[in-house]
Amino acid sequence: MKIGVFAKTYSGISPTEVLTKVHKAGYESVAYNMVCSNLSSLPLDVTEDVIEDLMTSSLATTVEIDSLSATYNMIHLSKQVRENGLASLLSLAKVANLIGCNLITLCTGTRCQTNQWHGHPDNNSQQAWDELVSEMRKAIQIAEQYNIYLGIEPELSNVINSATKAKQLIEQLDSDRVRIIFDPANLFEQATLAEQHHIIEESFNLLEPYIIQAHAKDRNADGSFGVTGKGILDYDFYIRMLINSGFQGDLIAHGFSEQDGQFVQDFLRKKVIQAGQ
């Protein structure tokens, strides 16, 4: 199990600059965002020079590109926003195929029109669900064309706000192109240790066959997100569960500043070693 990080945790406008910092901190892989190549996070076009630069930088730093981010609001009320998001997904699928990366991460969306990571009461409506299914079917066609997987993440603020809904979506879509990004910090806000263990274990057991990437974020006692390793998430329990299951994907850390990057890597490395891997 490689320990990775969101590339955009580190400042820089070129992959060489960013991935050099990632490597120096001890991370082995990244979830890459095209802002690290001085583009928008959802580019409509990626030139051959940009792709070559990313490939060369990855090889030179030995930092693998585990996934590319294409997180747009899949149920935005604006048709133009959705069409632009899908066009960017197509562009990034081409990039992923060329650089040997088989995973693109998505956001299942929200009715909040200003922030795709903010919740909205209508996220639980049948209309929101139907629109997500329709958009996912379009995304699946792209994934099949370029032989990549689409990673969706149960997140309290989005349409897929539980493990149960994630499983329901996968079964309804009936496509081997859809996979799960598992982040336990997105499954609860405030919980006792026993409640936390129950939520994480139950969700993991439900989604285990589909999990392709695991995330390492944290929660503070007040329910806000915190620096990985400094919050209340039981990482001994979580990492032991991943290892005992035979999970072969990458553990990707995020949700903290560049200044905390070394601490988080050291913390996760220690926990993985203590868990027996």
Side-chain angles (χ1 to χ4, degrees):
M1 184 168 63
K2 294 185 179 69
I3 297 175
V5 67
F6 270 24
K8 68 176 184 178
T9 302
Y10 291 89
S11 59
I13 57 172
S14 74
T16 297
E17 184 180 4
V18 172
L19 297 185
T20 297
K21 292 179 179 179
V22 168
H23 176 72
K24 186 177 180 181
Y27 294 102
E28 301 161 279
S29 65
V30 291
Y32 198 79
N33 190 302
M34 294 309 294
V35 297
C36 299
S37 291
N38 203 28
L39 299 177
S40 75
S41 60
L42 292 168
L44 296 178
D45 182 57
V46 182
T47 65
E48 291 183 3
D49 288 345
V50 170
I51 297 171
E52 180 65 29
D53 192 22
L54 178 55
M55 293 176 65
T56 301
S57 300
S58 176
L59 288 171
T61 59
T62 68
V63 175
E64 294 184 11
I65 311 299
D66 190 56
S67 61
L68 294 178
S69 172
T71 52
Y72 69 98
N73 189 343
M74 299 188 86
I75 63 161
H76 199 284
L77 293 176
S78 167
K79 182 180 178 181
Q80 190 63 56
V81 168
R82 298 194 306 275
E83 288 181 346
N84 286 346
L86 202 64
S88 178
L89 173 59
L90 175 61
S91 176
L92 290 167
K94 295 176 183 177
V95 174
N97 183 269
L98 288 170
I99 68 173
C101 170
N102 72 347
L103 175 61
I104 289 184
T105 58
L106 300 176
C107 166
T108 61
T110 175
R111 281 299 197 220
C112 177
Q113 301 300 285
T114 56
N115 189 320
Q116 66 189 21
W117 307 115
H118 283 185
H120 191 282
D122 291 344
N123 287 354
N124 293 314
S125 68
Q126 187 62 47
Q127 184 180 11
W129 180 271
D130 292 343
E131 289 180 13
L132 172 61
V133 169
S134 175
E135 193 74 7
M136 282 296 300
R137 293 200 190 282
K138 297 173 187 176
I140 287 168
Q141 290 181 336
I142 294 173
E144 290 173 341
Q145 181 180 355
Y146 289 97
N147 193 29
I148 58 168
Y149 294 104
L150 304 171
I152 61 169
E153 183 175 349
E155 179 130 9
L156 294 177
S157 61
N158 288 161
V159 175
I160 301 304
N161 56 17
S162 68
T164 301
K165 284 189 176 181
K167 179 79 175 293
Q168 181 183 348
L169 180 67
I170 288 174
E171 290 179 343
Q172 183 170 343
L173 291 171
D174 191 26
S175 168
D176 68 349
R177 295 293 100 189
V178 183
R179 292 290 187 267
I180 291 294
I181 310 296
F182 190 79
D183 188 339
N186 282 343
L187 299 173
F188 70 92
E189 290 182 336
Q190 292 177 293
T192 66
L193 192 61
E195 289 170 341
Q196 182 188 140
H197 287 179
H198 175 74
I199 292 168
I200 294 172
E201 187 170 32
E202 184 178 57
S203 299
F204 185 84
N205 289 340
L206 189 65
L207 298 174
E208 182 182 352
Y210 314 104
I211 297 173
I212 194 170
Q213 186 182 88
H215 281 186
K217 221 168 43 250
D218 218 327
R219 287 279 187 184
N220 295 316
D222 64 1
S224 62
F225 287 117
V227 175
T228 304
K230 295 184 178 181
I232 63 169
L233 198 146
D234 186 347
Y235 269 93
D236 291 312
F237 177 83
Y238 175 39
I239 290 179
R240 188 167 56 247
M241 184 182 66
L242 288 175
I243 291 173
N244 289 344
S245 74
F247 174 68
Q248 296 296 311
D250 289 12
L251 179 62
I252 304 290
H254 70 107
F256 49 87
S257 69
E258 182 173 343
Q259 288 69 36
D260 287 314
Q262 186 66 63
F263 164 81
V264 172
Q265 193 281 149
D266 291 343
F267 169 80
L268 292 174
R269 187 76 57 191
K270 180 180 178 181
K271 293 300 181 184
V272 168
I273 292 172
Q274 288 176 340
Q277 190 175 88

